[in-house]
Amino acid sequence: MGQTKATVLIFARERLSALGSSALENFRKSLTPEEDKLFFKLLPSSKLPIEQSTRFFELLVPWLYPGKPLREGLWQIGYDGAGDNMKGIYHVLLKIFTVEMIIKQTAVIWKTYHDQGRPSVKRLADKEIAFVVEEYPELPLHFRELLNGYIAGLVDLTGAKNTRVTRDDSNPQAWKWLIHLG
């Protein structure tokens, strides 16, 4: 069972807290006592099982993005989480990075956030790059959707125009996120 760092989860928790005490208390009712204790003690450096992290994100969607379908809300958490993670000096640096540079850097720092999976970046065509995670077949579908949004958020932060990110789930031995450049 893989572990993941709680950085984006902390961002989502802060967003939930900003909704007020009523929303926070109602959200807490959806958690088991063990989950409640874990969720509110997480630090950005905390690591937790990928399945537990995914469950927290799934439970947060209706609160953070009311009315959005689950997968769309997960994508949005990832997208917004990228913007939150890259504020400050990183935001300035992203403007000088190319899309390919930021995706390659994402592969380099993968092990900082995940203890499983072997990431790589492959140029597929002149205007298409693939971010690939191998050796992690149990990476949950809903976490992959969150990563899809996160990657799209990073790409948008570079200022690149007419780009899109699609997820290719056809091979559990090599999950792919295809970045189509405009």
Side-chain angles (χ1 to χ4, degrees):
M1 176 185 322
Q3 300 260 326
T4 187
K5 223 176 208 183
T7 311
V8 175
L9 201 49
I10 299 300
F11 152 76
R13 185 179 68 194
E14 289 169 358
R15 275 259 176 106
L16 176 67
S17 294
L19 295 175
S21 60
S22 176
L24 199 54
E25 286 307 312
N26 284 322
F27 171 76
R28 290 182 100 156
K29 292 176 185 174
S30 65
L31 304 174
T32 67
E34 296 80 19
E35 288 174 331
D36 185 76
K37 185 177 180 182
L38 174 63
F39 186 76
F40 290 99
K41 285 191 174 187
L42 289 172
L43 300 171
S45 61
S46 299
K47 283 201 172 180
L48 65 158
I50 192 79
E51 291 84 356
Q52 183 64 67
S53 181
T54 302
R55 174 167 158 70
F56 285 144
F57 285 123
E58 292 165 347
L59 292 171
L60 284 161
V61 166
W63 295 99
L64 300 179
Y65 307 100
K68 281 197 177 190
L70 179 60
R71 287 178 71 172
E72 191 177 317
L74 291 165
W75 185 96
Q76 194 68 54
I77 290 174
Y79 186 91
D80 293 345
D84 183 72
N85 285 176
M86 296 299 147
K87 58 188 172 197
I89 189 68
Y90 295 116
H91 187 73
V92 174
L93 291 174
L94 283 171
K95 295 293 183 191
I96 60 172
F97 280 8
T98 65
V99 171
E100 189 165 5
M101 286 170 65
I102 194 64
I103 298 305
K104 283 181 179 177
Q105 190 60 32
T106 301
V108 169
I109 65 170
W110 174 269
K111 288 290 184 190
T112 301
Y113 294 92
H114 304 275
D115 70 350
Q116 197 170 333
R118 188 171 50 84
S120 62
V121 177
K122 297 176 173 48
R123 171 140 320 256
L124 302 177
D126 185 43
K127 296 203 176 234
E128 187 174 51
I129 302 165
F131 178 75
V132 181
V133 176
E134 296 175 284
E135 299 172 11
Y136 203 176
E138 61 277 0
L139 185 63
L141 170 66
H142 287 158
F143 200 89
R144 295 192 312 268
E145 186 61 33
L146 184 123
L147 283 173
N148 200 57
Y150 193 91
I151 293 167
L154 289 176
V155 168
D156 283 357
L157 287 168
T158 67
K161 303 291 181 209
N162 302 316
T163 62
R164 66 184 160 73
V165 177
T166 57
R167 198 180 74 238
D168 177 353
D169 288 339
S170 62
N171 181 0
Q173 298 305 317
W175 304 116
K176 289 181 187 162
W177 290 266
L178 305 170
I179 298 100
H180 311 275
L181 308 170

